[in-house]
Amino acid sequence: MALPTTHPILSELRSSTSSINQVAALRALKNEIIGHEQKKREWVGLGVLAPLARILTTPRANGKRRESNGNRPAHHGKTALGRTDEEEARLQAIVIIGSLASGGPAFIPAIRASAVIPPLLSLLSTSESSGRLVLAALRTLNTIANASTLECLDNEDRSRGLARCLYTDEHLASIKQILLQPISSQSVHHQISLAAALIARTCQDENQRQVLVLAGVLEALASQLSGFIGATEHAAWSSEITPSPLTTLQASDGVAHSWLAPILAAVATIVDTSRSRITYLLSTPALSAVLSRFEADNLVTHDKKPAPWPHQSNAPTRVRPLSSSRLDDLLPQLPVFSPRRTLPETGHHPPIGFGGSSTRHSHSTRAYYTAYDTPDGRPNASPSEEESPLLAWLIYVARAESGITRLMAAWLISLFYGSGVIDKRRDVSCAMLLVPLLVRMLEKGEKTTAEDDLAHNADPLQSAMPNPQVQAPAILAMLTLDSLELQRAAVDAGAIKKLAQLLRHSYDPLPTKAESQWTKEPRPGNASDSDHDNVDVSNSSESATTFQLLKLRESVLKALASIASISDDYRKSIIGDGVVPFVIESLKPKLNAPSTEDNKQDKIDDPQSPSHLTTPIGVLVAACAAAKCLTRSVSTLRTSLMDAGLATPIFVLLEHPNVRVQIAATEVVSNLVLEFSPMREVTLDAHIHRILCDHAHSADPSLRFNSVWAMAHLVSAADRSLKKACLSSLGPDWLLGIICNDATGSGDATVSTPLAMGTPNAAGEQVDLLNTTDGSGDFRHGATNDEDHEMLMTCPNSGQLGPHSSAWRGGREQVDSAPTDEKQIDEVAIQKMALDFIRNLICGSDAAEMIDYLFEQLGQDKLFAVLISKLRPRLVNGFNRDRRSTEKVVRQAQPAADVIDTVVYLINNMAAGSPRHRQVVISQPELLKVIVTLFSHSNRHVRAGCAWLVINLTWCEDHSDHGNCKQRIYQLKKLGVMEKLGKLEEDSELDVRERAKSAICQMTNFDRS
């Protein structure tokens, strides 16, 4: 039976006669709704959230604040439980809101619209609220954050209302204050853990991570982390015998090891793969101090541990540890392998001039190795930097613990790998000690402790942590990406078979029961109250089981993509386990069960099937990543993938409204349009080049990069009409514009086509440089919906993220210059791909005609001026980073080696055309002078390209070209090319030496003839 709109409890809450009666009404309401979903809906429909918000915002009476110790309330006006009436009312209101939030995502819109979140956040101040209120508020906020996760299956929209209010100067200061409390009781421990879990759950983007660093939250988390490391030190070295890793943390001064997981999760969420933030974490005073106590000599004698292998001598061996830390002694001694330089197995689809992966969390288009990148594409630690002892401790924790704590330690290790702060030799330790543990967590029936049963645990702290089995594949994917050694360890542990089983499990029938969701529309027959309109809860939201299955599907697809990224044998194993139908089905925007040989005959149309559900963005992106890695093998393209109909869903996703999906689908197309791909004709028949040209003009750098990359593959070996159509669709001016684009903002006097008023930028938009507009706005991309706007209106604006926030201003200048660096890297990668597009455009049997067409469309002089600018160092003008200094700094920026390499081979293609085109190249004195300086370049490909250019320029086509060829040889000798070639004959690289010998021989033989 429906509740009356004039219920006595509601009347008492709206106009209380006394605080005692108000507390009694709140307790009665709490007892009525806890565990009763229908009652919750009815009370929300009556508008009970509005008076609860007023109770939370009731001004605090003087003298009722907490004492300075932060854990005991005042001693007057107490109830029987030792709390004041006002505090008891707030506590009961907080519990009621938490109970409503535990009802699931259906109640989150009502909670967001009722303005209860800002007063909940205000109660986090430990100087203004008692310990009980702080703890209760944290529990409720975590419950709201967990339910918000289920409100929308896509990461971009989760916890949007809560995060917008939380990430302000005022509330982050309260979070920091909580984290820095001295641990004097279990209540304080719970506060710290819940605060960390709240950060881990709500932090979603780079701007929020920056603000957390600037607010001191990361430093406070590092202080807590140092406490756990110190406890490990006390337990491990309190006796002469090294204890078992399985018992050390449990015996560490009474510190509950289960509280370590939220700290690790929050740290991992904030640092992500940012090298600068990880460096900042390691340099925090608390963490530096505790880690410095583990320092040892660079040479350690391992004479206490038995040999791990039966045929290994037990004599003491002296090895150079990866880090000068005693924490490595807690790990099992492993055999020392001499490092071998191995080239990665690129499969059948080697990308044009692409040396790295662009599939990291930030979607960066890093198209070339950094200074310390390793041959397999994984960034490596600088030789001058020593690996932090924290990594050895994290491996130790991962081995000593189980469940969610092990998972969070592995997550942080994988982020260290992604940022390049780990020595490459650490792969052996991770392959033997960590990867098998992660693979074991993939087993569906693995038993976990009570603390790890998070999906079914009602405690906010436990439910705030991810499900171990759901998250383990994603962490395994991050750890094994671009490392053949770690991929081999995962495969040897049986990861492919287990991942295939989990992928099938994720396609189990989804629950069809839909929860009701709150709406602003009043219920029929109910009158509006003066305080708050009556509201109702209606359809529908996704269940927790549906969310877990879809997250599991996304994680498994990521892991399969990572394992298949290098080895063709692993791709064949993945396809052999029958996952292709599930990958293809995951590429479809609507959720359906895949048709396999087992269920094809028994498939029955179920009218209750959740066909209304759309595939989450994360699943689509992960499925595209798996398809991209599997399509690197021609054999799989010709059989399994082609027969399964891969092309059709990929073509649909190219026009998906979400840019992340467009990027992922474009990466797959880059493999489908290669010359030897059996799907090339299908792609050309679908006129995909038109969509790619549109994407190339996108404002998103990653989409722009991948589209130009796919176009470069497409025009290779294409007919003249298609090449001309692609160049025309891209636009000659736009093509030159993105090649000349300089992300650093420095000018270049050698470029004859500077950007001016009305010039299109890299996104194809007309830009007026003299009348710029203020682009300041919200920290998130896209428009703010109405509910978010309502939420903002109720939040205090003293610390709101934006141009006027102190955290925002400081973040752009002090903490992390990575966004600027990534922008420069993105622009250089796009320039390289645009040059590769031109390079492929003038390849093939019609090269001579296409060179003429290129000169006609781009302008011969303009094109050569651009190429020269890409080969010369640039003068970068700027001011000192110290804002108080007006000193102007001038430095030289050397062009990227990949860009130089591409330009040199592009000029080679021109010289390989007709004799007339060789004459055009030799008639560019400025270009030749710059190229002569490149004969001594540090990159072997550039040196070989210079030798190839001499070979092409000195080639005599026929007797009619004899005179011109003689003149070209004379000009090259005049520039000192013969001397340069003589030095290249003694080059350390065989290919360079052979090309130099061929060039000298060709020039010498022509002189003799």
Side-chain angles (χ1 to χ4, degrees), residues 473-497:
I475 294 176
L476 182 65
M478 288 188 286
L479 189 64
T480 59
L481 183 64
D482 296 331
S483 174
L484 188 58
E485 182 77 25
L486 297 180
Q487 291 171 13
R488 183 182 299 112
V491 174
D492 292 344
I496 293 179
K497 182 178 180 180

PDB file of all heavy atoms in Angstrom, residues 473-497:
ATOM      1  N   PRO A 473      42.290  -9.609 -15.718  1.00  0.00           N
ATOM      2  CA  PRO A 473      42.684  -9.597 -17.134  1.00  0.00           C
ATOM      3  C   PRO A 473      43.167  -8.243 -17.613  1.00  0.00           C
ATOM      4  O   PRO A 473      44.110  -8.161 -18.411  1.00  0.00           O
ATOM      5  CB  PRO A 473      41.398 -10.028 -17.861  1.00  0.00           C
ATOM      6  CG  PRO A 473      40.604 -10.761 -16.848  1.00  0.00           C
ATOM      7  CD  PRO A 473      40.897 -10.091 -15.552  1.00  0.00           C
ATOM      8  N   ALA A 474      42.541  -7.150 -17.148  1.00  0.00           N
ATOM      9  CA  ALA A 474      42.963  -5.817 -17.576  1.00  0.00           C
ATOM     10  C   ALA A 474      44.364  -5.497 -17.076  1.00  0.00           C
ATOM     11  O   ALA A 474      45.180  -4.903 -17.798  1.00  0.00           O
ATOM     12  CB  ALA A 474      41.968  -4.766 -17.079  1.00  0.00           C
ATOM     13  N   ILE A 475      44.678  -5.892 -15.848  1.00  0.00           N
ATOM     14  CA  ILE A 475      46.020  -5.647 -15.320  1.00  0.00           C
ATOM     15  C   ILE A 475      47.041  -6.532 -16.028  1.00  0.00           C
ATOM     16  O   ILE A 475      48.165  -6.097 -16.323  1.00  0.00           O
ATOM     17  CB  ILE A 475      46.027  -5.887 -13.800  1.00  0.00           C
ATOM     18  CG1 ILE A 475      45.139  -4.838 -13.121  1.00  0.00           C
ATOM     19  CG2 ILE A 475      47.434  -5.845 -13.233  1.00  0.00           C
ATOM     20  CD1 ILE A 475      44.989  -5.024 -11.640  1.00  0.00           C
ATOM     21  N   LEU A 476      46.663  -7.765 -16.329  1.00  0.00           N
ATOM     22  CA  LEU A 476      47.545  -8.633 -17.108  1.00  0.00           C
ATOM     23  C   LEU A 476      47.817  -8.029 -18.481  1.00  0.00           C
ATOM     24  O   LEU A 476      48.936  -8.110 -18.996  1.00  0.00           O
ATOM     25  CB  LEU A 476      46.915 -10.018 -17.251  1.00  0.00           C
ATOM     26  CG  LEU A 476      47.731 -11.068 -18.001  1.00  0.00           C
ATOM     27  CD1 LEU A 476      49.003 -11.407 -17.236  1.00  0.00           C
ATOM     28  CD2 LEU A 476      46.898 -12.319 -18.251  1.00  0.00           C
ATOM     29  N   ALA A 477      46.814  -7.381 -19.064  1.00  0.00           N
ATOM     30  CA  ALA A 477      46.997  -6.730 -20.367  1.00  0.00           C
ATOM     31  C   ALA A 477      47.994  -5.591 -20.281  1.00  0.00           C
ATOM     32  O   ALA A 477      48.876  -5.443 -21.139  1.00  0.00           O
ATOM     33  CB  ALA A 477      45.651  -6.222 -20.882  1.00  0.00           C
ATOM     34  N   MET A 478      47.887  -4.760 -19.247  1.00  0.00           N
ATOM     35  CA  MET A 478      48.827  -3.650 -19.089  1.00  0.00           C
ATOM     36  C   MET A 478      50.243  -4.150 -18.851  1.00  0.00           C
ATOM     37  O   MET A 478      51.212  -3.570 -19.349  1.00  0.00           O
ATOM     38  CB  MET A 478      48.381  -2.755 -17.936  1.00  0.00           C
ATOM     39  CG  MET A 478      47.154  -1.928 -18.228  1.00  0.00           C
ATOM     40  SD  MET A 478      46.809  -0.732 -16.911  1.00  0.00           S
ATOM     41  CE  MET A 478      46.188  -1.805 -15.629  1.00  0.00           C
ATOM     42  N   LEU A 479      50.365  -5.223 -18.100  1.00  0.00           N
ATOM     43  CA  LEU A 479      51.688  -5.727 -17.737  1.00  0.00           C
ATOM     44  C   LEU A 479      52.392  -6.364 -18.932  1.00  0.00           C
ATOM     45  O   LEU A 479      53.602  -6.204 -19.110  1.00  0.00           O
ATOM     46  CB  LEU A 479      51.558  -6.728 -16.596  1.00  0.00           C
ATOM     47  CG  LEU A 479      52.848  -7.205 -15.938  1.00  0.00           C
ATOM     48  CD1 LEU A 479      53.556  -6.043 -15.260  1.00  0.00           C
ATOM     49  CD2 LEU A 479      52.552  -8.299 -14.920  1.00  0.00           C
ATOM     50  N   THR A 480      51.660  -7.087 -19.758  1.00  0.00           N
ATOM     51  CA  THR A 480      52.278  -7.843 -20.857  1.00  0.00           C
ATOM     52  C   THR A 480      52.351  -7.064 -22.162  1.00  0.00           C
ATOM     53  O   THR A 480      52.929  -7.566 -23.128  1.00  0.00           O
ATOM     54  CB  THR A 480      51.495  -9.142 -21.106  1.00  0.00           C
ATOM     55  OG1 THR A 480      50.123  -8.818 -21.424  1.00  0.00           O
ATOM     56  CG2 THR A 480      51.516 -10.035 -19.879  1.00  0.00           C
ATOM     57  N   LEU A 481      51.803  -5.876 -22.220  1.00  0.00           N
ATOM     58  CA  LEU A 481      51.798  -5.121 -23.469  1.00  0.00           C
ATOM     59  C   LEU A 481      53.227  -4.810 -23.910  1.00  0.00           C
ATOM     60  O   LEU A 481      54.040  -4.304 -23.147  1.00  0.00           O
ATOM     61  CB  LEU A 481      51.008  -3.823 -23.288  1.00  0.00           C
ATOM     62  CG  LEU A 481      50.853  -2.958 -24.539  1.00  0.00           C
ATOM     63  CD1 LEU A 481      50.053  -3.698 -25.599  1.00  0.00           C
ATOM     64  CD2 LEU A 481      50.175  -1.634 -24.190  1.00  0.00           C
ATOM     65  N   ASP A 482      53.534  -5.155 -25.160  1.00  0.00           N
ATOM     66  CA  ASP A 482      54.831  -4.853 -25.782  1.00  0.00           C
ATOM     67  C   ASP A 482      56.004  -5.615 -25.171  1.00  0.00           C
ATOM     68  O   ASP A 482      57.155  -5.239 -25.380  1.00  0.00           O
ATOM     69  CB  ASP A 482      55.144  -3.346 -25.733  1.00  0.00           C
ATOM     70  CG  ASP A 482      54.153  -2.535 -26.536  1.00  0.00           C
ATOM     71  OD1 ASP A 482      53.611  -3.074 -27.517  1.00  0.00           O
ATOM     72  OD2 ASP A 482      53.914  -1.372 -26.178  1.00  0.00           O
ATOM     73  N   SER A 483      55.746  -6.655 -24.404  1.00  0.00           N
ATOM     74  CA  SER A 483      56.830  -7.447 -23.823  1.00  0.00           C
ATOM     75  C   SER A 483      56.622  -8.904 -24.200  1.00  0.00           C
ATOM     76  O   SER A 483      55.725  -9.569 -23.663  1.00  0.00           O
ATOM     77  CB  SER A 483      56.870  -7.288 -22.302  1.00  0.00           C
ATOM     78  OG  SER A 483      57.828  -8.158 -21.739  1.00  0.00           O
ATOM     79  N   LEU A 484      57.440  -9.398 -25.102  1.00  0.00           N
ATOM     80  CA  LEU A 484      57.331 -10.789 -25.525  1.00  0.00           C
ATOM     81  C   LEU A 484      57.670 -11.735 -24.377  1.00  0.00           C
ATOM     82  O   LEU A 484      57.097 -12.830 -24.266  1.00  0.00           O
ATOM     83  CB  LEU A 484      58.255 -11.045 -26.722  1.00  0.00           C
ATOM     84  CG  LEU A 484      58.127 -12.405 -27.408  1.00  0.00           C
ATOM     85  CD1 LEU A 484      56.718 -12.632 -27.916  1.00  0.00           C
ATOM     86  CD2 LEU A 484      59.138 -12.516 -28.540  1.00  0.00           C
ATOM     87  N   GLU A 485      58.585 -11.334 -23.503  1.00  0.00           N
ATOM     88  CA  GLU A 485      58.966 -12.169 -22.362  1.00  0.00           C
ATOM     89  C   GLU A 485      57.783 -12.397 -21.431  1.00  0.00           C
ATOM     90  O   GLU A 485      57.498 -13.530 -21.017  1.00  0.00           O
ATOM     91  CB  GLU A 485      60.116 -11.506 -21.606  1.00  0.00           C
ATOM     92  CG  GLU A 485      60.630 -12.296 -20.421  1.00  0.00           C
ATOM     93  CD  GLU A 485      61.514 -13.460 -20.842  1.00  0.00           C
ATOM     94  OE1 GLU A 485      62.100 -13.400 -21.942  1.00  0.00           O
ATOM     95  OE2 GLU A 485      61.603 -14.427 -20.074  1.00  0.00           O
ATOM     96  N   LEU A 486      57.059 -11.333 -21.103  1.00  0.00           N
ATOM     97  CA  LEU A 486      55.923 -11.455 -20.196  1.00  0.00           C
ATOM     98  C   LEU A 486      54.742 -12.131 -20.888  1.00  0.00           C
ATOM     99  O   LEU A 486      53.974 -12.858 -20.244  1.00  0.00           O
ATOM    100  CB  LEU A 486      55.521 -10.075 -19.680  1.00  0.00           C
ATOM    101  CG  LEU A 486      56.580  -9.359 -18.837  1.00  0.00           C
ATOM    102  CD1 LEU A 486      56.078  -8.000 -18.379  1.00  0.00           C
ATOM    103  CD2 LEU A 486      56.990 -10.201 -17.645  1.00  0.00           C
ATOM    104  N   GLN A 487      54.579 -11.902 -22.180  1.00  0.00           N
ATOM    105  CA  GLN A 487      53.525 -12.602 -22.920  1.00  0.00           C
ATOM    106  C   GLN A 487      53.786 -14.100 -22.938  1.00  0.00           C
ATOM    107  O   GLN A 487      52.860 -14.909 -22.792  1.00  0.00           O
ATOM    108  CB  GLN A 487      53.436 -12.051 -24.337  1.00  0.00           C
ATOM    109  CG  GLN A 487      52.909 -10.630 -24.418  1.00  0.00           C
ATOM    110  CD  GLN A 487      53.037 -10.039 -25.809  1.00  0.00           C
ATOM    111  OE1 GLN A 487      53.298 -10.754 -26.773  1.00  0.00           O
ATOM    112  NE2 GLN A 487      52.873  -8.724 -25.917  1.00  0.00           N
ATOM    113  N   ARG A 488      55.038 -14.486 -23.111  1.00  0.00           N
ATOM    114  CA  ARG A 488      55.385 -15.905 -23.111  1.00  0.00           C
ATOM    115  C   ARG A 488      55.079 -16.531 -21.746  1.00  0.00           C
ATOM    116  O   ARG A 488      54.574 -17.660 -21.658  1.00  0.00           O
ATOM    117  CB  ARG A 488      56.854 -16.087 -23.463  1.00  0.00           C
ATOM    118  CG  ARG A 488      57.298 -17.543 -23.570  1.00  0.00           C
ATOM    119  CD  ARG A 488      58.778 -17.668 -23.866  1.00  0.00           C
ATOM    120  NE  ARG A 488      59.120 -17.037 -25.141  1.00  0.00           N
ATOM    121  CZ  ARG A 488      59.858 -15.941 -25.266  1.00  0.00           C
ATOM    122  NH1 ARG A 488      60.317 -15.334 -24.177  1.00  0.00           N
ATOM    123  NH2 ARG A 488      60.129 -15.433 -26.448  1.00  0.00           N
ATOM    124  N   ALA A 489      55.378 -15.791 -20.678  1.00  0.00           N
ATOM    125  CA  ALA A 489      55.085 -16.296 -19.338  1.00  0.00           C
ATOM    126  C   ALA A 489      53.583 -16.486 -19.134  1.00  0.00           C
ATOM    127  O   ALA A 489      53.143 -17.464 -18.518  1.00  0.00           O
ATOM    128  CB  ALA A 489      55.649 -15.340 -18.284  1.00  0.00           C
ATOM    129  N   ALA A 490      52.791 -15.548 -19.642  1.00  0.00           N
ATOM    130  CA  ALA A 490      51.341 -15.668 -19.511  1.00  0.00           C
ATOM    131  C   ALA A 490      50.809 -16.861 -20.299  1.00  0.00           C
ATOM    132  O   ALA A 490      49.956 -17.616 -19.812  1.00  0.00           O
ATOM    133  CB  ALA A 490      50.671 -14.372 -19.977  1.00  0.00           C
ATOM    134  N   VAL A 491      51.300 -17.047 -21.507  1.00  0.00           N
ATOM    135  CA  VAL A 491      50.848 -18.169 -22.327  1.00  0.00           C
ATOM    136  C   VAL A 491      51.267 -19.489 -21.703  1.00  0.00           C
ATOM    137  O   VAL A 491      50.491 -20.455 -21.668  1.00  0.00           O
ATOM    138  CB  VAL A 491      51.399 -18.030 -23.768  1.00  0.00           C
ATOM    139  CG1 VAL A 491      51.061 -19.266 -24.588  1.00  0.00           C
ATOM    140  CG2 VAL A 491      50.815 -16.791 -24.436  1.00  0.00           C
ATOM    141  N   ASP A 492      52.481 -19.566 -21.199  1.00  0.00           N
ATOM    142  CA  ASP A 492      52.947 -20.791 -20.560  1.00  0.00           C
ATOM    143  C   ASP A 492      52.123 -21.131 -19.322  1.00  0.00           C
ATOM    144  O   ASP A 492      51.998 -22.315 -18.960  1.00  0.00           O
ATOM    145  CB  ASP A 492      54.423 -20.664 -20.172  1.00  0.00           C
ATOM    146  CG  ASP A 492      55.333 -20.614 -21.395  1.00  0.00           C
ATOM    147  OD1 ASP A 492      54.869 -20.985 -22.492  1.00  0.00           O
ATOM    148  OD2 ASP A 492      56.504 -20.182 -21.253  1.00  0.00           O
ATOM    149  N   ALA A 493      51.581 -20.114 -18.671  1.00  0.00           N
ATOM    150  CA  ALA A 493      50.743 -20.350 -17.491  1.00  0.00           C
ATOM    151  C   ALA A 493      49.304 -20.695 -17.846  1.00  0.00           C
ATOM    152  O   ALA A 493      48.482 -20.888 -16.947  1.00  0.00           O
ATOM    153  CB  ALA A 493      50.777 -19.124 -16.576  1.00  0.00           C
ATOM    154  N   GLY A 494      48.989 -20.744 -19.142  1.00  0.00           N
ATOM    155  CA  GLY A 494      47.641 -21.104 -19.573  1.00  0.00           C
ATOM    156  C   GLY A 494      46.683 -19.948 -19.675  1.00  0.00           C
ATOM    157  O   GLY A 494      45.462 -20.142 -19.554  1.00  0.00           O
ATOM    158  N   ALA A 495      47.185 -18.755 -19.915  1.00  0.00           N
ATOM    159  CA  ALA A 495      46.320 -17.572 -19.915  1.00  0.00           C
ATOM    160  C   ALA A 495      45.321 -17.600 -21.072  1.00  0.00           C
ATOM    161  O   ALA A 495      44.166 -17.194 -20.893  1.00  0.00           O
ATOM    162  CB  ALA A 495      47.167 -16.309 -19.987  1.00  0.00           C
ATOM    163  N   ILE A 496      45.728 -18.045 -22.259  1.00  0.00           N
ATOM    164  CA  ILE A 496      44.836 -17.979 -23.418  1.00  0.00           C
ATOM    165  C   ILE A 496      43.588 -18.829 -23.201  1.00  0.00           C
ATOM    166  O   ILE A 496      42.460 -18.388 -23.465  1.00  0.00           O
ATOM    167  CB  ILE A 496      45.593 -18.413 -24.691  1.00  0.00           C
ATOM    168  CG1 ILE A 496      46.679 -17.392 -25.030  1.00  0.00           C
ATOM    169  CG2 ILE A 496      44.640 -18.581 -25.864  1.00  0.00           C
ATOM    170  CD1 ILE A 496      47.498 -17.748 -26.256  1.00  0.00           C
ATOM    171  N   LYS A 497      43.781 -20.046 -22.718  1.00  0.00           N
ATOM    172  CA  LYS A 497      42.634 -20.925 -22.490  1.00  0.00           C
ATOM    173  C   LYS A 497      41.695 -20.354 -21.433  1.00  0.00           C
ATOM    174  O   LYS A 497      40.467 -20.369 -21.586  1.00  0.00           O
ATOM    175  CB  LYS A 497      43.131 -22.305 -22.073  1.00  0.00           C
ATOM    176  CG  LYS A 497      42.020 -23.326 -21.862  1.00  0.00           C
ATOM    177  CD  LYS A 497      42.586 -24.684 -21.503  1.00  0.00           C
ATOM    178  CE  LYS A 497      41.461 -25.702 -21.299  1.00  0.00           C
ATOM    179  NZ  LYS A 497      42.009 -27.044 -20.940  1.00  0.00           N
TER     180      LYS A 497
END
